Amino acid sequence: MRNLTPALAAVAALLVAMRVGSVSAATETMVRLPAGAYVPFYSRDSNKTTRDGLHRPVAVKAFWLDRYPVTNAQFLNFVKHHPAWSRARVASIFADAHYLAGWSSDFTLRDPGDSERPITGVSWFAAVAYCKVQGKTLPTTDQWEYALADRDRNPKALNARILSWYGTSSAHALQLVQTAIPNGYGVAGMVGLVWEWTLDFNSLLSGPDLRNTGSGTDQKFCGGGSIGARDASDYASFMRYSMRSSLKASYTTNNLGFRCALNAP
Amino acid sequence: MQQMPMAQALSGRSVYNLASVWTNQSGMAVALASLRGRPVVAAMVYTHCKDVCPLITEKMLEIGDKLPKQSLDQVRFVLFSLDWVRDTPAQLTKFAAQHHLDLKRWTLLHGDESAVRELAAVLGVSFYRDENGDFQHSIAIFLLDANGVISEQESDIQAPPARLVKSIRNLLAKGNQSR
């Protein structure tokens, strides 16, 4: 697929995704999520927060999402064909010094057993470039959170699993992606594997960013951010939104990976 | 997004490593790397912005006013539009006229969504596009050196222009390079 243009690659990706047929929209590589709505933990849109702090749902159009996070083997294949994204050659503005630090060299995994584990140590730029080559994009925060919410099938169990994972040491090896638990849509490993980049990770504005704008959002006041939260006791969501807003696009860490999305035609 | 070939010997910290191509107010294609060669005063704004973007533009004009003519002639002022839908070249031309921007020194650029997101990521500009197509965005005026490396950044729109003016003069005195 690497020789195709992104537009052709997108069509090819869709054809692969649709091959399985109509019983379920789930396929080997991507899952189709139907259009719907969800209530975000933070409302980034001041039009969506009512005066008494209630949040209105955000509509999400149908889209495709990778069933699993991108693996080491997949990312290695990408780097081999696009060596500008190898450790030695990546521009420092696109990735910090720990880029792909889990690999033993530019084009070698530390352990072949890592092939099917999620790629980590990748910056936002590298993740965007990878998805673009496949004719895809990173999911938006709304798409990612909508997939995680899983149509509110079992929010309490979901929250318990998230908190239990957040409380687990990250010192041990990451799980193989195929062993991750799929949610009701068939999207696997959104909880329990790695944190994941979103296209607009940098869309939560707060504090000093907005203080001088004179625009009327409550996020412009110090500490005002928590007032905008859907449920201040939802510690799991708080951690996720905080983590995203603390990132810079060149950051890499050993527990941050990604998966790609495709807007449904 | 592709990276520049190594042969160009562009600093790894240069914003111009982004290969995105933008369209200027006259409808001409502008590669970021073509901005190389002189200091650039830049900001990300959108023209339907009612309060802060005009202030950013006025602040950039003020910086220009404080520079001696000889220095001013060596600096480029660039507005990158956040609004990949509405800020067409015609709209950018209108905005330039409204603010009396001298197009000999100023460039207003329209990019597609991915070009906007990548540039915002490189500059550390946070933004959110709401359902009306308006933006919330962080505020900053950037000074890039002749190689596109961020030399200074001013996030306080009320700050006097003196600091950036001094930095521009320093850059010019050093032959446009900052390490």
Side-chain angles (χ1 to χ4, degrees), chain B residues 48-86:
Chain B
H48 289 74
C49 173
K50 287 179 191 69
D51 34 39
V52 72
C53 306
L55 289 178
I56 292 172
T57 309
E58 293 304 320
K59 183 62 71 177
M60 288 168 68
L61 280 166
E62 207 182 324
I63 290 166
D65 287 345
K66 301 276 189 227
L67 283 170
K69 167 110 180 25
Q70 197 188 354
S71 303
L72 182 61
D73 287 342
Q74 298 177 63
V75 178
R76 187 106 217 128
F77 294 84
V78 181
L79 292 177
F80 291 95
S81 171
L82 287 161
D83 193 341
W84 57 83
V85 176
R86 294 177 295 184

Side-chain angles (χ1 to χ4, degrees), chain A residues 200-205 209 248-249, chain B residues 42-45 56 80 82 116-128 135-142 150 153 155:
Chain A
D200 56 347
F201 73 95
N202 55 354
S203 59
L204 188 64
L205 284 87
D209 280 344
K248 292 194 187 308
Chain B
M44 296 190 82
V45 298
I56 292 172
F80 291 95
L82 287 161
V116 169
R117 288 199 183 280
E118 286 170 2
L119 182 69
V122 157
L123 295 175
V125 169
S126 298
F127 73 91
Y128 177 72
F135 290 79
Q136 290 173 22
H137 59 100
S138 51
I139 298 160
I141 296 173
F142 297 89
I150 298 172
Q153 146 170 14
S155 300

Side-chain angles (χ1 to χ4, degrees), chain A residues 12-258:
Chain A
L14 254 191
L15 288 176
V16 169
M18 291 187 299
R19 195 178 65 202
V20 169
S22 58
V23 178
S24 158
T27 72
E28 299 103 80
T29 59
M30 294 194 94
V31 173
R32 186 180 198 274
L33 284 85
Y38 85 112
V39 179
F41 177 68
Y42 271 118
S43 187
R44 292 167 299 175
D45 184 345
S46 51
N47 304 321
K48 290 279 184 190
T49 312
T50 59
R51 193 168 297 229
D52 50 5
L54 294 176
H55 291 181
R56 275 182 269 151
V58 170
V60 177
K61 291 179 183 154
F63 67 102
W64 295 83
L65 189 60
D66 282 351
R67 177 183 291 278
Y68 301 113
V70 173
T71 63
N72 277 296
Q74 290 171 323
F75 201 80
L76 179 61
N77 186 50
F78 162 74
V79 170
K80 281 179 177 168
H81 292 111
H82 301 274
W85 291 99
S86 61
R87 291 200 311 204
R89 289 187 46 189
V90 70
S92 58
I93 201 162
F94 293 146
D96 68 22
H98 305 289
Y99 179 62
L100 298 177
W103 292 4
S104 61
S105 75
D106 274 18
F107 303 105
T108 324
L109 305 184
R110 183 156 292 159
D111 176 350
D114 291 340
S115 293
E116 297 306 310
R117 299 186 206 284
I119 182 71
T120 61
V122 282
S123 65
W124 179 88
F125 295 104
V128 165
Y130 175 95
C131 293
K132 196 176 268 189
V133 162
Q134 324 273 322
K136 304 178 189 174
T137 68
L138 282 177
T140 64
T141 302
D142 280 336
Q143 287 173 331
W144 199 96
E145 289 284 329
Y146 173 73
L148 178 73
D150 199 16
R151 245 186 226 160
D152 276 333
R153 276 180 252 255
N154 197 345
K156 277 194 179 160
L158 175 65
N159 238 23
R161 267 178 54 219
I162 295 174
L163 283 175
S164 145
W165 172 50
Y166 289 179
T168 307
S169 160
S170 58
H172 57 82
L174 296 168
Q175 236 181 300
L176 304 176
V177 297
Q178 289 87 351
T179 63
I181 302 169
N183 70 7
Y185 293 121
V187 179
M190 298 194 86
V191 175
L193 285 177
V194 286
W195 299 92
E196 296 181 19
W197 283 109
T198 58
L199 182 64
D200 56 347
F201 73 95
N202 55 354
S203 59
L204 188 64
L205 284 87
S206 63
D209 280 344
L210 282 180
R211 225 169 292 152
N212 291 326
T213 66
S215 61
T217 91
D218 55 10
Q219 287 182 8
K220 72 180 167 174
F221 299 107
C222 285
S226 63
I227 297 169
R230 175 185 63 201
D231 172 2
S233 69
D234 183 356
Y235 188 58
S237 295
F238 176 75
M239 282 182 70
R240 206 164 51 248
Y241 277 75
S242 303
M243 187 279 299
R244 276 189 209 115
S245 66
S246 71
L247 295 171
K248 292 194 187 308
S250 61
Y251 282 9
T252 68
T253 77
N254 64 1
N255 58 2
L256 179 58
F258 69 102

